[in-house]
Structure formats: structure tokens, C-alpha cells
Amino acid sequence: MKLIALLLLGSAAALAAPASAAAIGGLKGRVVAGVESRAKLAQEVNDMIFSFSELGFQEVETSRYLTALLEKNGFTVERGTSGMPTGWVAKWTNGTGGPVIALGSDIDGIPKASQKPGIPWRAPMVEGAPGHGEGHNSGQAVNVVAALAVKEQMERENIPGTLVLWPGVAEELVSGKAFMVRQGIFNGVDGVIFTHVGNNLGTGWGAPAGTGLVSVEYTFSGEAPIRQGRRGGASPRSTPWS
């Protein structure tokens, strides 16, 4: 959380107006203190999203909880973005001008990954139910706390700029982000900080490494090939390409 907050603060302060090293150092110290003072909130957000454990495009309670929390803290929320019922964008602006910095993190769970918290072996809370097997309950907790700590200092120091928070809806289905880009959600954004759980607390920037995934649905038409069954009966093949 501290790292995300410092990245966010550094981006906002550097793009808004030049500042001395001493001034930046003071801001960083106060932001870190702001993050630490919200440790309980971070744990609450983390646990609440974990308890919902909703599949892609079904993140109803997760989105309701996060948007209500952000509105309570002064953000303006647009719901149902990009044609997704669980999509939303939360914005807060201080003054006029300044950079627009967006914070994103995925929110969907994984099928059949239900798990009791704090137990390092397989122990479903509800057998066969979805769960947060990839840690998508943690990213928004980090982002919300970082944004609130930076927002506090932007108000205190009159730093102009806009903070934007958004969810990765249905990330496991390779869907939500593409819809948001297509609608132009990120037009005018100066920088995006994306949070995802990892085992090494690493950070990166620029073009991401890894594979590029595209979600595609194929539809076949025509008659299925017929093969002889073991007992002499004809049956359609389950793998017509083989």
C-alpha cells in the first residue's frame, strides 16, 4: 500500500508542479503515515471482498460495497460502465488542471476456489463455491487506502489533479478491460497504476511481460461426423477435428 501511495503521490506532485526535494520528502512521510493509519480499513476491504467471492460479471456485492465506500469518501461514481452491470468508475478532482492518475485492480473470483481464510491447506467454506484463489480480494484494498492517503495530502497542499479508481471486471474471462478501453474510459488519463497480488512484492512499468490473451467464441455449423460405437451403434464424434 505504501509503495502504491508513493507512486501515486509522486505522479500527481511531479506532473502538477515542480517541488523541492524537501517538500516531496515531507509529502511522502505524511502519505506513509496516512496509509498506516488506515491499516484497519485495508484489512476490512480485503476481508469483505474475500467473503463475497463472486465470479466474473457477477461481482454485484463487491461493486456495491466498493462504490459505497468511495462515495462516502468524496468520490463521484459512475455505475454500469462499458455496458457491464458490475462495471464502475470512481473519480475525485482537486482544483483545476493537474494530472489524471488511474488506479485499477481485478475483482472477480475463480470457480470452485472457496477457501477458509488463514488456512494453508485446501478447506472450502462452501464446497464447490467460487473463491478468491488468485488474490483478487486484495488489490482494491490497497488501491482504496493509497488513494485516500494521497487525496488527503492533495487537499492539504492544494495539489491539483484527478484520482480515478476502476475495477477489473471478469478478468478471468479476459473481458472487462477491453470493454472499458473500447468505450474510452482511459482517454485523457496520464498514467495508470495497476495492482495485483504477487509473491515477491515486485513492481514493473512500461509494456507488460507475458502473453497477450484474446477471448474468442467459435461457432461450428453443419453435420457432426458419425463414427461406429463400441457396440456397433453410430454416434457423433465429440472431437470432430480428430
Side-chain angles (χ1 to χ4, degrees):
M1 285 179 292
K2 296 176 186 177
L3 179 58
I4 299 299
L6 291 175
L7 287 171
L8 181 58
L9 173 68
S11 301
L15 292 172
S20 67
I24 292 294
L27 281 171
K28 287 181 177 180
R30 289 192 293 274
V31 165
V32 168
V35 168
E36 292 177 341
S37 70
R38 294 174 172 85
K40 185 175 185 293
L41 173 61
Q43 190 62 60
E44 289 174 351
V45 175
N46 182 81
D47 291 347
M48 285 293 286
I49 299 176
F50 186 90
S51 72
F52 297 139
S53 292
E54 298 166 301
L55 295 175
F57 295 122
Q58 300 175 38
E59 311 97 330
V60 176
E61 296 300 329
T62 300
S63 291
R64 181 181 291 127
Y65 169 71
L66 289 170
T67 54
L69 176 61
L70 290 166
E71 284 181 324
K72 180 180 177 181
N73 284 277
F75 282 75
T76 300
V77 176
E78 177 187 352
R79 294 175 171 84
T81 55
S82 307
M84 299 181 291
T86 55
W88 50 269
V89 175
K91 295 182 180 180
W92 174 82
T93 298
N94 194 49
T96 57
V100 179
I101 311 296
L103 291 150
S105 192
D106 302 322
I107 60 173
D108 56 329
I110 297 176
K112 299 182 180 180
S114 175
Q115 176 67 21
K116 294 178 182 178
I119 297 177
W121 59 84
R122 182 80 175 111
M125 286 194 292
V126 179
E127 190 66 45
H132 276 296
E134 198 184 340
H136 286 180
N137 56 300
S138 61
Q140 289 291 340
V142 171
N143 286 356
V144 168
V145 167
L148 295 182
V150 171
K151 172 179 176 287
E152 184 178 49
Q153 294 308 310
M154 289 176 67
E155 291 174 316
R156 181 180 187 273
E157 301 294 331
N158 196 29
I159 299 173
T162 298
L163 304 180
V164 181
L165 277 80
W166 57 277
V169 171
E171 185 271 344
E172 301 295 344
L173 301 177
V174 199
S175 299
K177 299 182 186 72
F179 297 154
M180 296 178 76
V181 170
R182 183 173 62 188
Q183 187 181 332
I185 295 295
F186 303 105
N187 292 351
V189 172
D190 293 293
V192 175
I193 300 173
F194 191 83
T195 306
H196 197 288
V197 68
N199 63 356
N200 59 357
L201 301 179
T203 60
W205 57 90
T211 57
L213 301 178
V214 178
S215 182
V216 179
E217 178 181 339
Y218 294 98
T219 301
F220 296 91
S221 61
E223 295 183 5
I226 303 297
R227 67 175 176 83
Q228 287 299 116
R230 289 184 179 180
R231 300 183 180 180
S235 64
R237 298 191 64 153
S238 59
T239 54
W241 51 84
S242 62

